[in-house]
Amino acid sequence: MREPVELRRQRILSVVQSRGAVKVRVLAAELDVSVVTIRRDVEELTRAGRLRRGHGVARPVVDAAEPVPVPAARTAEQAGDGGAVAIVVPERHSYLYETLHGARTVLEESGMRIALHIAPQSAGAERPLVERALADGAHGLLIAPRWRNARSEELDYGWLAEVGVPTVLMERRPRPGSALHALDSVCSDHWYGTHLAVDHLVALGHRRIVLAARDDSPTARTIRAAFAQIAADRPEVEDWSVVLSSPTAVPGPGSPSAAVRVQNAPAPAEGTAPDLAALLRERGATAAVLHGDVDALMLVQRMAESGVQVPRDCSVVAYDDVVAALGSTPLTAVAPPKAEIGRAAAELLLYRLTGPAGTTGPVRRTELLPALKVRGSAQRVTPAKN
């Protein structure tokens, strides 16, 4: 899916504002577009007064000197003073872009101005964006940090707890007892979503199930833990295992290896795609839950190349439902309420900013339930003929 021009230019601004001067060829490599495209974007952003252009370099309008101080929180009466609501989401994250659009709808209908910031993939990228947004007058914050591993999540706890303006986490649930435990949050109940996937397969007679999942986001880690618990607790499930859905789906430096094996499932060699067809044959598995959508479509394609057809030889349930329905075999999928998460988060933030007791009411940790979209990639087990 082609990225909208405005989103790409916002990503350029985010990188430049967080790092200072950045070479055009570096931006092109990181954003995975041509140097010509980046050069044209930088020229347009310079013409609009949002960047400065040098010889092969993009520079911020104002060079960063000292860290930007976080301003004091604003009152509800100040909510209409022209300041914006800042939204911070990771780059290249179609799942959270749907959440973003849900939030945007609510905020625009309320008349709130939005300042969108796209965080690059580098560690700690969200903090300078938030600090800059607050220095520019943002009086509320909606944020979905990338949190590729537990360490990066913990490093954000301190500063994010002290932002000083009403803040709502989107599709993120901080560790219990952490500094962010008492921060407003709205997210999907991924335990329930995983339950829907397993329950659907069990109801179709499947007793040996594999989870191929990512391990580089809070959602992925929740799904992996939930699957292990649910499969172990279901007496109908005779065998289960967990493997990586992609060689790139690892949590990054400072975390345990994402290829840790569960139930003796073989881990793929570093940098290689998992051989799901071989694992299914080895385990005698007849079904798989695949996270996320793009990985799921690629795994289904590789299984077909190995002679394993979906759903004839293996029933599949995908998790995310961003593009699961678009494959040559439309995939049954667990669909978290992505847009609804954004809408609920924006409504909660508006309540904090404008409600009569918004700034003093109890902290809210809201969970919305995913749904199962049945499309035929999972079928009932056919009893073996003697």
Side-chain angles (χ1 to χ4, degrees), residues 85-136:
V85 166
I87 303 179
V88 180
V89 294
E91 67 172 335
R92 300 186 188 180
H93 206 305
S94 55
Y95 179 108
L96 287 172
Y97 287 169
E98 290 193 37
T99 302
L100 160 66
H101 291 314
R104 173 185 174 184
T105 300
V106 170
L107 293 172
E108 288 182 343
E109 288 176 353
S110 73
M112 287 286 183
R113 187 164 62 86
I114 300 169
L116 174 62
H117 298 269
I118 308 297
Q121 296 187 33
S122 54
E126 288 86 1
R127 183 172 185 175
L129 297 180
V130 170
E131 290 174 340
R132 187 172 296 276
L134 294 174
D136 288 342

Side-chain angles (χ1 to χ4, degrees), residues 140-156:
L141 173 65
L142 293 175
I143 184 169
R146 187 177 298 275
W147 287 349
R148 291 197 68 201
N149 55 51
R151 177 60 177 159
S152 65
E153 179 177 338
E154 291 171 358
L155 288 174
D156 281 346

Side-chain angles (χ1 to χ4, degrees), residues 20-348:
V22 182
K23 293 182 179 179
V24 168
R25 59 179 176 80
V26 172
L27 287 168
E30 291 193 11
L31 275 62
D32 195 24
V33 294
S34 70
V35 171
V36 172
T37 297
I38 293 296
R39 202 175 279 134
R40 183 166 56 245
D41 287 341
V42 170
E43 289 175 356
E44 288 298 321
L45 290 168
T46 300
R47 190 175 294 112
R50 303 171 75 185
L51 283 182
R52 289 184 297 148
R53 182 166 60 92
H55 183 66
V57 174
R59 303 178 186 278
V61 175
V62 179
D63 290 323
E66 298 297 322
V68 180
V70 176
R74 299 185 174 204
T75 65
E77 287 76 20
Q78 292 173 305
D81 67 357
V85 166
I87 303 179
V88 180
V89 294
E91 67 172 335
R92 300 186 188 180
H93 206 305
S94 55
Y95 179 108
L96 287 172
Y97 287 169
E98 290 193 37
T99 302
L100 160 66
H101 291 314
R104 173 185 174 184
T105 300
V106 170
L107 293 172
E108 288 182 343
E109 288 176 353
S110 73
M112 287 286 183
R113 187 164 62 86
I114 300 169
L116 174 62
H117 298 269
I118 308 297
Q121 296 187 33
S122 54
E126 288 86 1
R127 183 172 185 175
L129 297 180
V130 170
E131 290 174 340
R132 187 172 296 276
L134 294 174
D136 288 342
H139 55 262
L141 173 65
L142 293 175
I143 184 169
R146 187 177 298 275
W147 287 349
R148 291 197 68 201
N149 55 51
R151 177 60 177 159
S152 65
E153 179 177 338
E154 291 171 358
L155 288 174
D156 281 346
Y157 282 172
W159 71 265
L160 196 48
E162 302 296 331
V163 162
V165 299
T167 299
V168 180
L169 286 171
M170 297 188 297
E171 203 60 288
R172 298 291 183 259
R173 179 73 79 225
R175 176 173 51 80
S178 69
L180 295 186
H181 190 113
L183 190 69
D184 286 325
S185 61
V186 180
C187 70
S188 301
D189 185 343
H190 293 300
W191 185 97
Y192 181 74
T194 307
H195 160 76
L196 287 177
V198 174
D199 193 62
H200 181 62
L201 294 171
V202 168
L204 292 173
H206 297 280
R207 300 295 179 257
R208 292 174 172 263
I209 306 172
V210 171
L211 169 70
R214 303 188 67 84
D215 194 24
D216 56 356
S217 73
T219 296
R221 293 189 287 274
T222 299
I223 291 170
R224 292 166 73 89
F227 179 84
Q229 177 198 340
I230 293 166
D233 289 346
R234 290 291 295 251
E236 304 97 326
V237 178
E238 298 171 1
D239 185 87
W240 58 274
S241 53
V242 179
V243 294
L244 277 176
S245 57
S246 166
T248 63
V250 294
S255 291
S257 169
V260 170
R261 287 175 283 179
V262 181
Q263 288 282 81
N264 299 314
E270 185 175 355
T272 64
D275 189 345
L276 190 55
L279 176 62
L280 292 168
R281 293 188 181 107
E282 178 185 333
R283 311 291 293 196
T286 59
V289 180
L290 308 179
H291 171 260
D293 274 12
V294 173
D295 293 340
L297 293 174
M298 294 179 69
L299 285 170
V300 168
Q301 179 178 310
R302 283 199 290 269
M303 284 194 291
E305 293 167 355
S306 298
V308 177
Q309 296 293 327
V310 174
R312 184 193 67 191
D313 305 311
C314 176
S315 289
V316 164
V317 176
Y319 200 106
D320 273 1
D321 201 34
V322 178
V323 294
L326 304 180
S328 55
T329 300
L331 301 181
T332 292
V334 174
K338 298 173 282 292
E340 289 80 1
I341 292 290
R343 284 194 282 269
E347 289 168 355
L348 177 53

